[in-house]
């Protein structure tokens, strides 16, 4: 290690490596970007170059191209960002509208549920009355059926009575006709008897 250190010291002070290191330090100090180290030439530099540092032209051109590319990328992404922000704004508005409609639907559903519960509670309270009314209707239907059966029976009985009355009227008419016939025969017999009596009286007078 001691020998190696002595060799490196000799190389640093006596050999070509000293010049190489000098060029590298000079290139780094002047911000030449490796130009001095590659070409072994120190270009002419102005005071402004010393103030702002030195960079090779091709690296400046590449940096400018990179900057333009980055600028285009930034412009593109800014546009995309604007579109994205606009889309986000539209989506926020749509989301707000959806939330509003959802809130209205929830309120409507809650109102319908409340009305349904009220309706159910009301009918639950009215259920005994409904049952009583249903029992009354059933009783009335049973009474109505009984009355209909009685009415049918009375109609049949009335029809039978009517037929009996018609038969009785027919018998009465026949009896009246027969009585009239008999009265006529009796009148004829009485008239004939009177005629006979008158003839007998006349005969006695003679």
């Amino acid at each position: 290690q001691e020998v190696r250190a002595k060799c490196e010291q000799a190389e640093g002070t006596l050999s070509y490596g000293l010049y190489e290191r000098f060029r590298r330090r000079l290139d780094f100090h002047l911000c030449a970007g490796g130009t001095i180290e590659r070409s072994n030439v120190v270009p002419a530099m102005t005071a402004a170059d010393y103030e702002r540092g030195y960079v090779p032209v091709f690296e400046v051109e590449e940096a400018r191209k990179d900057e333009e590319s980055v600028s285009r990328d930034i412009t593109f992404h800014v546009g995309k960002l604007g579109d994205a922000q606009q889309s986000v704004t539209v989506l926020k508005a749509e989301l707000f509208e959806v939330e509003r409609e959802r809130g209205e639907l929830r309120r409507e559903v809650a109102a319908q549920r409340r009305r349904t519960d009220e309706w159910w509670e009301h009918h639950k309270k009215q259920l005994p009355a409904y049952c009583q009314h249903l029992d009354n209707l059933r009783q009335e239907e049973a009474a109505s059926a009984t009355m209909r059966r009685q009415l049918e029976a009375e109609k049949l009985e009335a029809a039978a009575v009517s037929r009996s009355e018609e038969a009785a009227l027919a018998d009465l008419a026949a009896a009246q006709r027969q009585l009239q016939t008999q009265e006529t025969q009796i009148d004829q017999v009485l008239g004939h008897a009177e005629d006979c009596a008158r003839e007998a009286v006349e005969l006695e007078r003679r």
Side-chain angles (χ1 to χ4, degrees):
Q1 293 180 356
E2 184 178 356
V3 174
R4 182 180 295 177
K6 288 182 179 180
C7 290
E8 290 179 356
Q9 184 179 5
E11 183 184 3
T13 56
L14 301 174
S15 67
Y16 185 74
L18 176 63
Y19 178 68
E20 289 294 327
R21 286 190 293 274
F22 169 74
R23 285 195 310 170
R24 189 177 298 113
R25 287 197 302 270
L26 180 62
D27 189 274
F28 180 76
H29 179 71
L30 295 177
C31 299
T35 303
I36 297 174
E37 189 175 0
R38 288 192 301 271
S39 62
N40 199 23
V41 174
V42 179
M45 300 178 66
T46 63
D49 293 329
Y50 283 109
E51 289 179 359
R52 64 174 178 269
Y54 173 76
V55 178
V57 176
F58 71 90
E59 291 188 6
V60 173
E61 187 65 24
E62 290 179 357
R64 184 179 295 109
K65 291 180 180 179
D66 292 340
E67 184 179 358
E68 290 176 355
S69 177
V70 171
S71 179
R72 287 193 299 270
D73 292 341
I74 290 174
T75 303
F76 174 75
H77 288 295
V78 166
K80 295 289 288 183
L81 179 61
D83 295 339
Q85 289 177 345
Q86 186 176 1
S87 299
V88 168
T89 302
V90 173
L91 289 175
K92 284 183 178 179
E94 293 179 355
L95 180 61
F96 176 77
E97 184 67 20
V98 169
E99 290 294 335
R100 186 184 62 80
E101 292 179 357
R102 182 180 297 175
E104 291 179 356
L105 288 175
R106 286 177 178 173
R107 288 191 293 273
E108 184 177 354
V109 169
Q112 290 179 355
R113 185 175 298 171
R114 184 175 61 254
R115 289 194 295 269
T116 302
D117 293 339
E118 292 176 354
W119 179 86
W120 177 245
E121 291 297 329
H122 173 72
H123 284 279
K124 281 175 63 178
K125 293 179 180 178
Q126 298 295 325
L127 187 60
Y130 290 157
C131 293
Q132 183 64 36
H133 182 64
L134 182 60
D135 292 337
N136 294 335
L137 286 177
R138 288 174 178 173
Q139 293 176 2
E140 290 177 358
E141 288 178 354
S144 177
T146 303
M147 292 178 66
R148 281 196 298 270
R149 288 192 297 271
Q150 291 177 355
L151 181 61
E152 293 294 331
E154 289 176 357
K155 285 182 179 179
L156 293 175
E157 185 177 357
V161 171
S162 177
R163 289 192 296 271
S164 298
E165 289 179 353
E166 291 177 356
L169 290 174
D171 294 339
L172 179 61
Q176 288 178 349
R177 288 192 300 271
Q178 185 177 4
L179 179 61
Q180 289 177 355
T181 301
Q182 291 177 355
E183 288 178 351
T184 302
Q185 291 176 356
I186 291 171
D187 290 337
Q188 290 177 355
V189 171
L190 290 175
H192 183 69
E194 290 177 355
D195 293 336
C196 290
R198 283 194 300 273
E199 288 178 358
V201 171
E202 288 179 359
L203 288 174
E204 289 177 356
R205 287 176 180 177
R206 290 177 183 176

